[in-house]
Amino acid sequence: MSIRVTVWNEFLHEVQFPEVAEVYPKGIHGCIADFLNAQPDITARTATLREPEHGLTQEVLDATDVLLWWGHMAHGEVSDEVVERVYRRVMDGMGLIVLHSGHASKIFRKLCGTDSYMLKWREDGEQEILWVIDPTHPIAQGIGEKVMIPHEEMYGENFNIPKPDTLVFIGWFEGGEVFRSGCCWQKGLGKLFYFQPGHETFPIYHDPEIQKILTNAVRWAAPVAIPPVTHGNPDPIMPVRVGTAKTIAGLHEEKHV
Ligand code: ZN
């Protein structure tokens, strides 16, 4: 069965700015859905801000294993009701991949529990070197020790996020700043990945290595079979006894016979 993905994009820059539309004629969401759909084990659809309920009805979310999120200028327009709905699904096991300026989105801030919009930034089109910090991680498979990104908006530390469970990438920028560019967390039963590259004026999601990372991230974030979990006041657990237990003292004596 294939992994069911929804790629969410606010889809405003591509409509308002011709230089962005030129890079992403089908929108950032269209570009990402296209390369994910080229994988035999992934089925991707898209959703955008201006659709009813931002395209994220309960029905859509219930049929989503992994949600990708790109937003920048309209975080405030995302309704709290939809944010709560996405949050509940993450708690239940849906994977969430937050991209680039999505660090300031309502859903990421809620999951982080910190002011994750706080970081350094500079829009100079500097070179970024994306260093693989954890080469054993599933998201880094098939990637060399680093990815060269010719032009990217600089994001720099300090990035006000909770300590990641796993740090997979660190980005270095020409100006000297560094950034935790690929961070993993477990949130409830769901997996959360934040990935920094992806400023809208640069063709970053067209890069085969970036596509490989995001494809790996979808597979990593997809829910696994979860054994039934119960909460509340449990029934008494009946101990299972097999044979006769020996006391520690007995074992000790036996050893020295
Ligand atoms: Zn940006």
Side-chain angles (χ1 to χ4, degrees):
M1 216 179 87
S2 69
I3 302 169
R4 302 165 302 172
V5 171
T6 302
V7 185
W8 190 88
N9 178 16
E10 62 179 27
F11 193 35
L12 298 177
H13 296 73
E14 299 94 323
V15 177
Q16 293 179 21
F17 306 108
E19 65 271 29
V20 180
E22 205 174 292
V23 181
Y24 293 108
K26 294 168 81 177
I28 286 173
H29 54 302
C31 171
I32 293 175
D34 278 355
F35 71 71
L36 291 176
N37 276 323
Q39 299 296 318
D41 58 335
I42 297 174
T43 306
R45 64 165 131 189
T46 62
T48 56
L49 179 71
R50 295 284 153 86
E51 291 171 45
E53 302 183 58
H54 314 318
L56 298 175
T57 61
Q58 190 64 55
E59 210 182 346
V60 167
L61 288 174
D62 285 346
T64 299
D65 297 315
V66 180
L67 176 66
L68 286 90
W69 192 280
W70 198 100
H72 180 214
M73 63 164 92
H75 295 312
E77 283 183 44
V78 178
S79 86
D80 292 340
E81 196 187 332
V82 169
V83 172
E84 182 63 26
R85 204 180 280 161
V86 172
Y87 178 82
R88 294 299 349 152
R89 280 287 294 129
V90 173
M91 291 301 109
D92 287 346
M94 182 183 75
L96 178 65
I97 298 170
V98 174
L99 301 168
H100 188 59
S101 39
H103 72 85
S105 64
K106 286 184 181 178
I107 183 60
F108 190 63
R109 288 167 68 171
K110 184 176 172 80
L111 284 163
C112 283
T114 58
D115 294 331
S116 61
Y117 62 90
M118 294 168 79
L119 47 72
K120 287 190 184 69
W121 60 273
R122 179 173 55 242
E123 206 182 325
D124 271 357
E126 290 162 63
Q127 185 184 70
E128 176 179 4
I129 302 177
L130 187 69
W131 289 98
V132 175
I133 296 310
D134 185 351
T136 68
H137 198 277
I139 296 179
Q141 295 316 296
I143 304 298
E145 64 171 8
K146 62 183 181 298
V147 178
M148 306 297 286
I149 302 174
H151 302 285
E152 176 55 307
E153 176 183 21
M154 184 280 288
Y155 275 9
E157 297 285 346
N158 182 267
F159 182 23
N160 193 355
I161 49 169
K163 210 170 272 183
D165 297 339
T166 310
L167 183 59
V168 186
F169 301 103
I170 288 179
W172 169 92
F173 294 85
E174 268 182 287
E177 291 87 358
V178 292
F179 192 71
R180 286 169 288 174
S181 294
C183 307
C184 297
W185 296 267
Q186 180 83 38
K187 294 288 176 184
L189 300 177
K191 295 196 189 96
L192 170 64
F193 180 55
Y194 171 76
F195 190 57
Q196 161 264 316
H199 186 66
E200 67 275 4
T201 54
F202 306 118
I204 287 168
Y205 299 123
H206 293 289
D207 182 309
E209 287 186 293
I210 298 294
Q211 294 181 357
K212 175 83 182 150
I213 290 168
L214 289 178
T215 306
N216 287 344
V218 163
R219 294 191 181 117
W220 169 82
V224 292
I226 299 165
V229 177
T230 58
H231 296 102
N233 190 0
D235 294 333
I237 297 167
M238 300 308 292
V240 179
R241 291 204 172 90
V242 180
T244 312
K246 284 181 176 151
T247 62
I248 298 287
L251 283 171
H252 183 77
E253 279 160 24
E254 203 172 281
K255 261 178 136 177
H256 291 86
V257 165

